[in-house]
Structures are given as C-alpha cells and as structure tokens.
Amino acid sequence: MQLTNAARQLKQRNIPFTFHTYVVDPSDVSASHVAASMGKPVDQLYKTICLESEQKRHAFFLISGDRDIDLKAAAKAWGVKKVTPVPMKELEALTGYIRGGVSPIGAKKAFPVFLHDSAKEKATIIISAGKRGAQLELTPDDLLRFTNGRWFTQ
C-alpha cells in the first residue's frame, strides 16, 4: 500500500513512525476489530473523533479504542459549552476522510487536536493513517508536537 498523505507529512518532518496495514472489513470499522486485525491491543489504538462546538468550530479528539468519548469532558478541555460529534454524512466534506479512516494529520483543514491522557502511559500509540486499512504508530509526544495538540482528561 502506498503511503498516505498523513504518513508523507510525518516523513517530510522527519518524525519517526511505523506504517501498518490491515485487511479492511467494510462492515466493521470499529477500533476493536481494527486492533484485532493488526494483532495489537485495542487500548494502543486511538480513534479520532471529529467534534463540533456550538459555534460550529471543529476539533479532533483521540481516545483509546477501548473507551467512549465523554462529550462534557471534551467540551471542558476545549473551553466550549457543548460539543457534538460531526454527523457521518458531513465528515468527508469537512475533513477529507471517511469514518474508519479519520486522521488528525493531513485533514483538509488543521483543527485543534486533543489526545486523551491515557496515552501518556504508552511508548507508542496507533492512529489512522487517513484511510481504511492503514495505521500509523508513533509516540504520543511526537503526535502532539506535530499537531500542536494538547492532552485532555475525562
């Protein structure tokens, strides 16, 4: 598989990463299924969730595959009153990515990035490379540095 836009951007900035591929099951793009397909623990895989504030601003929140996003905690971390997930039908037009392939790197627009603090305990995390079937493994600190991201707690 060719490198994705997200992987190329990391390579251009000399940020070390491992590019993983897996066989896609279009009927199951869940984090648990992707992790199992890769032979990795689900809590090492971080899913990217695009949220929208009441002011129609957008941000990416990354949370381990074994957790669900707490919308109140996300809003608090972002400093807004309320957030909602971006509807699936709007996701691709907004980010350039489809569900199961959303990456905080290389989206159409650079949105704020928030990484759940459970990643602090891990040497590396695995995130989407920007398309189904491709993942990037890198350190949490490198991801935050590259995206100017911040930690969040829930």
Side-chain angles (χ1 to χ4, degrees):
M1 178 180 278
Q2 280 186 293
L3 288 184
T4 62
N5 187 35
R8 281 191 297 276
Q9 287 186 20
L10 291 173
K11 198 172 185 168
Q12 287 170 350
R13 295 258 304 270
N14 295 315
I15 293 178
F17 67 92
T18 304
F19 190 78
H20 296 282
T21 59
Y22 64 93
V23 177
V24 178
D25 176 354
S27 69
D28 188 355
V29 295
S30 68
S32 56
H33 182 77
V34 171
S37 299
M38 295 175 60
K40 298 285 187 176
V42 70
D43 69 341
Q44 188 181 12
L45 195 91
Y46 277 68
K47 51 193 176 184
T48 305
I49 302 163
C50 189
L51 298 180
E52 182 175 84
S53 72
E54 70 276 9
Q55 297 95 0
K56 301 291 183 202
R57 294 190 348 247
H58 299 91
F60 289 128
F61 281 78
L62 285 87
I63 190 157
S64 64
D66 60 340
R67 296 176 187 252
D68 290 319
I69 190 82
D70 177 330
L71 296 176
K72 285 189 168 114
K76 183 177 179 187
W78 194 7
V80 298
K81 280 189 200 165
K82 184 179 175 187
V83 295
T84 55
V86 169
M88 289 303 147
K89 64 184 188 320
E90 297 172 20
L91 193 60
E92 188 173 8
L94 181 68
T95 67
Y97 296 131
I98 61 170
R99 180 175 179 265
V102 177
S103 179
I105 300 169
K108 279 184 171 182
K109 294 180 185 151
F111 297 134
V113 171
F114 295 86
L115 177 58
H116 188 262
D117 65 3
S118 62
K120 288 179 180 178
E121 307 158 9
K122 298 176 174 60
T124 61
I125 60 171
I126 299 169
I127 64 169
S128 176
K131 72 185 271 185
R132 291 178 182 170
Q135 299 283 312
L136 300 169
E137 185 172 350
L138 71 168
T139 70
D141 287 340
D142 281 342
L143 175 64
L144 290 179
R145 251 193 310 280
F146 183 85
T147 61
N148 293 314
R150 296 183 289 206
W151 296 106
F152 84 101
T153 305
Q154 64 175 40

